[in-house]
Amino acid sequence: MGQDWQALSAPDGTLEKASRVRQVDKIRYLGVTSHRLLMALRLVRSGLFDIIQFPFTLIREDATNEFFPLTSERGQGIIVMKPFSGEMLDDAAVAFKYLRQFPNLLTIPGFESIVQIDQVLACYASPNQVGPDDLAVMERYRRELGQNFCWCCEYCQPCPQGVKITPAMTYRIITNRMTAAIAPQFSRAAMETVPLCNGCSSCVKRAPTRPHWRSVSAAFERAAGGLNLAVSLR
């Protein structure tokens, strides 16, 4: 990440050229994306960008402490990506009820189904109201997922040990998309690479979150056992 930033911000680099184009009104705004909060703050403070795109959900709330106030102070816009936490939040209505509490955000969701679209459109048909039931669902998500879920950004890859990190980390998403009979077989090749992990932390240094192999592997083993697939990830 540091090397990429140095190359972009170097004299006559990409950012300098983009700024020159903006000065002659060929473009109006410069935007940038980051999954890491510290890098996002650095990009905001650089003063080079008009818009910052950053992942923000009811699970990952750290942006409210410094990132949001800083962009507001500097008059920079925020585009929220991954509002469903890499498809880990399956209640689109609750996800957007949370986000609508922050009126200065522009959210760009990736929908998994027409049902999700209908849920979000229904939310915007009336003023935002977050009730006790919604708060209970939010807390359940936070309790079950914590901070260690996969954003599907793939910054973690490639793994030097050959672990297929993203397909393995998103096994729970696969179980929601496929039947109980198909999901374990579909994910088997990826899940069988999990024991190759030796804890070198190469992925952790590059990715926003840490792989949570224990919970993912346990879910897969339960499903595989039910189908009599001889698989052990220990």
Side-chain angles (χ1 to χ4, degrees):
M1 184 68 74
Q3 293 177 343
D4 292 341
W5 172 249
Q6 290 175 8
L8 287 171
S9 58
D12 203 37
T14 302
L15 287 177
E16 185 174 306
K17 292 176 180 177
S19 295
R20 289 201 296 264
V21 173
R22 179 170 57 178
Q23 289 172 5
V24 296
D25 294 329
K26 290 189 176 181
I27 59 174
R28 288 189 293 170
Y29 304 106
L30 286 179
V32 67
T33 299
S34 177
H35 283 77
R36 290 179 177 274
L37 181 58
L38 291 179
M39 188 61 188
L41 290 169
R42 182 177 179 182
L43 295 169
V44 170
R45 294 190 180 103
S46 74
L48 297 170
F49 304 99
D50 306 292
I51 303 167
I52 314 294
Q53 181 171 272
F54 189 74
F56 176 64
T57 76
L58 61 90
I59 300 174
R60 181 175 180 175
E61 303 178 276
D62 48 0
T64 61
N65 297 326
E66 186 176 4
F67 179 64
F68 286 178
L70 187 61
T71 54
S72 177
E73 176 187 320
R74 293 171 173 261
Q76 294 161 310
I78 301 174
I79 297 176
V80 170
M81 60 176 170
K82 301 182 182 293
F84 304 130
S85 299
E87 306 308 326
M88 298 304 289
L89 305 181
D90 52 10
D91 191 326
V94 167
F96 267 76
K97 283 184 178 183
Y98 174 80
L99 293 174
R100 288 185 68 194
Q101 297 176 107
F102 304 89
N104 297 324
L105 306 180
L106 174 64
T107 303
I108 51 171
F111 291 109
E112 283 289 304
S113 66
I114 299 297
V115 172
Q116 284 186 327
I117 297 176
D118 290 339
Q119 287 178 337
V120 173
L121 289 177
C123 285
Y124 282 90
S126 60
N128 192 42
Q129 293 183 339
V130 180
D133 291 343
D134 300 315
L135 293 173
V137 173
M138 293 177 192
E139 286 306 312
R140 176 175 62 80
Y141 279 132
R142 294 181 181 119
R143 184 174 62 254
E144 292 178 354
L145 299 176
Q147 292 294 308
N148 292 326
F149 55 90
C150 182
W151 286 107
C152 298
C153 65
E154 299 198 330
Y155 288 173
C156 59
Q157 300 195 102
C159 170
Q161 313 306 324
V163 179
K164 297 179 180 179
I165 301 174
T166 302
M169 284 281 286
T170 55
Y171 173 69
R172 281 187 289 182
I173 300 175
I174 297 300
T175 61
N176 292 332
R177 294 176 178 169
M178 300 181 178
T179 66
I182 295 176
Q185 298 185 58
F186 180 88
S187 300
R188 182 173 184 172
M191 295 302 295
E192 286 181 334
T193 67
V194 172
L196 298 176
C197 176
N198 64 359
C200 71
S201 296
S202 173
C203 58
V204 176
K205 296 173 183 176
R206 301 194 301 266
T209 55
R210 180 184 298 271
H212 52 294
W213 294 135
R214 180 174 297 177
S215 61
V216 176
S217 299
F220 176 76
E221 285 189 321
R222 286 195 298 270
L227 296 175
N228 295 318
L229 295 178
V231 175
S232 176
L233 303 182
R234 297 181 178 84

